[in-house]
């Protein structure tokens, strides 16, 4: 009988897990430097949490099931909705605003596996709850940018937009909610030819040529802060989008204050979901080709969708797996150091108990080490230590022990020093 991992999942072995843990640690450090604290939510939630957020059509993409009490549940496909549920259950009445939280965990979607897309994947993200302002949004984007720099990803392009500009135009031309949603979904696909066909083709979504022409011109505007003037000229005849445009200008000013200069204003960045209310942004790594988007974020009013008070959040989520792809693509492959600092090698059975004692002393002093458990011959022990790429081996021999000493061997240089056992920890740490 043969057993294989489920389709769309992966196994991670030692070296890959070390690289993932390093990246995870780097992200945690950046987030916590910005004052964010970690939370955890269940791997599964009530199915209605996700259908309320995204509509019944999302069920086709979920791992959903009934439990033994006939409750409708689903493995989480993302973590934004669980965070909103957590806020309503635990934080709404007890925490002062703003709330800064972050999360890291696996998510599940029943989709066709392909390059860069799996059925189990990981997200690392954050929520700034109750601080809707251009400076709050700018700080979130700055944290996103610092995270990428900390990972050694220096080619990121952060594309920003304010959905209130387009929504303001919809309001001015009295476009119904259903049509607005259809147009935003098309814009969200990022296909400008499809958008033009949808607006000025044979069966236009909007029967208003003035609005259609303005939308097509807006979506074509992509560039640095100099295009703000072009946007302003396009919306000048309409009052409703101007407040959102002013917020976008403030965001750009604050991004400069936070030291973020690798941004692109792109009015084609959109969301097809109604609860997005303000700034939206996406992060692209050009070297990843078709899978270049590694992050999406924005400002939204999701908590109200679940029956809570009107409160806006700004957040983003990294596709952690794509971040790892970017690190692999952009950085030279580095040789990993050994996962332990020292290997303890007893020469024969007579010193085995003392070797265990020494290993425990080292471990309790914060030195990672391994010790022979298979009663290997000494030559095989040294070959094994060499295969581990360990830098130092503590050789435990009966003659040395008579003098309360061990031999510490540097595996790179071949140098050996006779060290008093009481000074072994100091000697190892002193060489780090």
């Amino acid at each position: 009988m043969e057993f294989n991992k489920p389709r769309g999942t992966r196994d991670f072995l030692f070296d890959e897990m070390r690289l993932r843990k390093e990246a995870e640690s780097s992200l945690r450090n950046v987030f916590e430097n910005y004052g964010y604290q970690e939370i955890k939510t269940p791997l599964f939630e009530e199915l209605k949490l996700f259908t309320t957020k995204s509509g019944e059509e999302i069920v086709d993409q979920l791992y959903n099931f009934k439990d033994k009490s006939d409750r409708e549940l689903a493995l989480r496909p993302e973590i934004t909705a669980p965070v909103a549920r957590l806020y309503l259950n635990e934080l709404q009445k007890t925490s002062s605003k703003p709330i800064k939280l972050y999360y890291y965990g696996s998510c599940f979607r029943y989709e066709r596996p392909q390059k860069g897309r799996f059925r189990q994947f990981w997200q690392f993200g954050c929520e700034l709850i109750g601080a809707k302002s251009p400076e709050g949004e700018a700080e979130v984007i700055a944290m996103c940018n610092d995270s990428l720099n900390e990972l050694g990803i220096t080619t990121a392009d952060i594309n920003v937009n304010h959905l209130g500009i387009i929504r303001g135009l919809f309001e001015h031309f009295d476009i119904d909610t259903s049509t607005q949603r259809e147009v935003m979904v098309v814009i969200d696909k990022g296909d400008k030819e499809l958008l033009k066909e949808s607006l000025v083709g044979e069966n236009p979504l909007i029967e208003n040529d003035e609005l259609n022409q303005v939308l097509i011109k807006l979506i074509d505007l992509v560039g640095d802060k100099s295009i703000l003037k072009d946007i302003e000229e396009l919306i000048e005849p309409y009052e409703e989008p101007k407040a959102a445009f002013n917020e976008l200008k403030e965001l750009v000013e604050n991004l400069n204050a936070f030291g973020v200069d690798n941004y692109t204003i792109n009015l084609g960045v959109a969301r097809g979901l109604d609860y997005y209310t303000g700034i939206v942004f996406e992060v692209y790594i050009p070297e990843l080709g078709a899978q270049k988007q590694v992050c999406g974020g924005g400002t939204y009013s999701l908590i109200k969708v679940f029956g809570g008070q009107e409160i806006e959040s700004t957040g983003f989520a990294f596709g952690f797996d794509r971040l790892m792809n970017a690190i692999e693509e952009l950085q030279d492959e580095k040789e990993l150091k050994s996962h332990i600092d020292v290997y303890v090698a007893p020469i024969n059975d007579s010193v085995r108990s003392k070797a265990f004692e020494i290993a425990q002393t080292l471990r309790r002093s914060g030195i990672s080490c391994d010790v022979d458990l298979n009663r290997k011959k000494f030559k095989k022990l040294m070959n094994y230590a060499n295969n581990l790429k360990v830098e130092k081996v503590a050789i435990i021999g009966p003659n040395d022990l008579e003098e309360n000493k061990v031999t510490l061997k540097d595996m790179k240089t071949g140098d050996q020093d006779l060290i008093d056992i009481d000074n072994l920890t100091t000697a190892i740490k002193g060489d780090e």
Side-chain angles (χ1 to χ4, degrees):
M1 186 180 293
E2 185 178 356
F3 297 96
N4 295 305
K5 61 182 180 292
R7 188 165 184 251
T9 64
R10 293 156 292 167
D11 296 316
F12 300 108
L13 295 180
F14 310 122
D15 286 353
E16 191 169 3
M17 277 305 303
R18 287 175 65 191
L19 293 173
R20 290 174 72 92
K21 285 178 70 175
E22 283 180 16
E24 178 189 340
S25 178
S26 295
L27 292 175
R28 289 183 191 279
N29 288 339
V30 174
F31 281 42
E32 290 174 11
N33 282 345
Y34 275 79
Y36 283 72
Q37 299 182 83
E38 186 175 12
I39 55 96
K40 286 283 186 188
T41 66
L43 281 174
F44 58 91
E45 299 271 359
E46 291 184 337
L47 175 62
K48 65 182 179 182
L49 183 74
F50 303 113
T51 55
T52 299
K53 173 179 180 282
S54 303
E56 291 293 334
E57 59 271 19
I58 196 177
V59 173
D60 291 339
Q61 302 172 36
L62 299 180
Y63 280 92
N64 59 299
F65 55 94
K66 285 186 178 181
D67 69 6
K68 293 179 181 179
S69 296
D70 218 31
R71 287 176 287 243
E72 291 274 8
L73 303 172
L75 297 181
R76 63 189 185 195
E78 42 86 10
I79 307 182
T80 305
V83 167
R85 194 266 311 148
L86 176 146
Y87 171 80
L88 286 168
N89 292 167
E90 311 290 347
L91 300 174
Q92 182 172 225
K93 296 179 180 179
T94 59
S95 295
S96 57
K97 312 296 185 299
I99 300 169
K100 290 182 168 183
L101 58 86
Y102 77 91
Y103 54 82
Y104 173 62
S106 56
C107 303
F108 305 84
R109 281 185 183 264
Y110 192 81
E111 296 180 321
R112 184 173 65 85
Q114 53 187 293
K115 181 177 173 57
R117 190 180 291 272
F118 300 93
R119 289 179 171 176
Q120 182 184 17
F121 55 95
W122 278 258
Q123 288 188 347
F124 203 118
C126 70
E127 300 278 347
L128 174 63
I129 301 174
K132 202 283 183 189
S133 65
E135 48 265 52
E137 292 164 332
E139 187 188 68
V140 167
I141 294 173
M143 184 171 77
C144 175
N145 192 48
D146 282 356
S147 299
L148 294 166
N149 288 331
E150 188 68 19
L151 294 174
I153 300 172
T154 58
T155 61
D157 181 18
I158 303 172
N159 283 238
V160 299
N161 183 22
H162 195 306
L163 292 183
I165 296 173
I166 293 175
R167 293 197 192 281
L169 289 169
F170 288 152
E171 181 184 350
H172 178 86
F173 287 94
D174 197 27
I175 304 301
D176 65 85
T177 302
S178 176
T179 303
Q180 288 187 37
R181 190 176 297 123
E182 285 186 74
V183 175
M184 294 300 277
V185 167
V186 174
I187 295 173
D188 189 28
K189 291 180 178 178
D191 186 334
K192 292 183 180 180
E193 290 304 314
L194 175 63
L195 177 65
K196 289 177 182 177
E197 176 64 26
S198 301
L199 293 178
V200 297
E202 290 186 7
N203 298 298
L205 293 173
I206 298 174
E207 298 286 350
N208 187 304
D209 190 58
E210 180 183 352
L211 173 57
N212 288 339
Q213 292 303 322
V214 172
L215 287 175
I216 289 171
K217 290 176 182 177
L218 278 176
I219 302 307
D220 272 337
L221 289 174
V222 179
D224 60 21
K225 62 183 179 181
S226 65
I227 71 167
L228 288 171
K229 184 178 180 182
D230 299 321
I231 299 171
E232 189 170 24
E233 289 175 359
L234 271 174
I235 65 170
E236 177 56 36
Y238 318 108
E239 193 61 34
E240 292 84 350
K242 290 181 180 177
F245 172 72
N246 289 332
E247 288 186 5
L248 179 61
K249 283 202 303 183
E250 279 191 71
L251 173 74
V252 169
E253 291 171 4
N254 282 297
L255 285 176
N256 294 330
F258 277 102
V260 179
D261 57 12
N262 55 318
Y263 63 85
T264 297
I265 299 170
N266 181 354
L267 271 71
V269 175
R271 296 287 184 272
L273 298 166
D274 295 341
Y275 54 79
Y276 277 91
T277 57
I279 292 295
V280 289
F281 64 94
E282 295 176 350
V283 180
Y284 306 135
I285 311 295
E287 290 82 358
L288 295 183
Q291 305 291 334
K292 67 179 180 178
Q293 184 179 337
V294 299
C295 176
T299 294
Y300 34 82
S301 185
L302 182 57
I303 289 164
K304 185 180 179 182
V305 173
F306 295 126
Q309 300 172 351
E310 177 73 55
I311 184 168
E312 290 182 295
S313 305
T314 302
F316 67 83
F318 285 120
F320 189 78
D321 303 284
R322 289 199 186 171
L323 285 183
M324 296 309 301
N325 291 343
I327 291 170
E328 182 180 356
E329 186 72 28
L330 294 171
Q331 296 181 8
D332 294 333
E333 186 175 349
K334 60 181 180 181
E335 185 175 345
L336 292 174
K337 293 174 60 178
S338 175
H339 64 289
I340 57 173
D341 300 318
V342 185
Y343 186 74
V344 179
I347 284 180
N348 57 39
D349 288 347
S350 69
V351 297
R352 192 167 298 281
S353 293
K354 189 64 178 179
F356 298 154
E357 181 184 318
I358 291 170
Q360 291 299 86
T361 299
L362 294 176
R363 290 163 175 164
R364 290 163 183 165
S365 300
I367 296 172
S368 61
C369 74
D370 203 352
V371 62
D372 174 47
L373 302 174
N374 286 357
R375 302 190 177 188
K376 292 184 175 74
K377 298 295 184 183
F378 182 68
K379 183 177 180 181
K380 288 187 175 181
L381 282 181
M382 299 308 290
N383 287 337
Y384 180 71
N386 201 45
N387 290 336
L388 291 177
K389 300 177 182 177
V390 67
E391 293 186 1
K392 297 189 182 301
V393 174
I395 301 170
I396 316 300
N399 294 336
D400 291 344
L401 287 180
E402 288 179 5
E403 301 178 26
N404 199 44
K405 296 180 185 296
V406 299
T407 297
L408 189 63
K409 180 173 182 176
D410 187 313
M411 295 295 283
K412 285 186 176 179
T413 66
D415 294 341
Q416 297 186 168
D417 295 303
L418 202 58
I419 306 291
D420 190 280
I421 290 176
D422 295 335
N423 297 328
L424 183 59
T425 297
T426 303
I428 294 169
K429 287 186 173 181
D431 288 338
E432 291 180 352

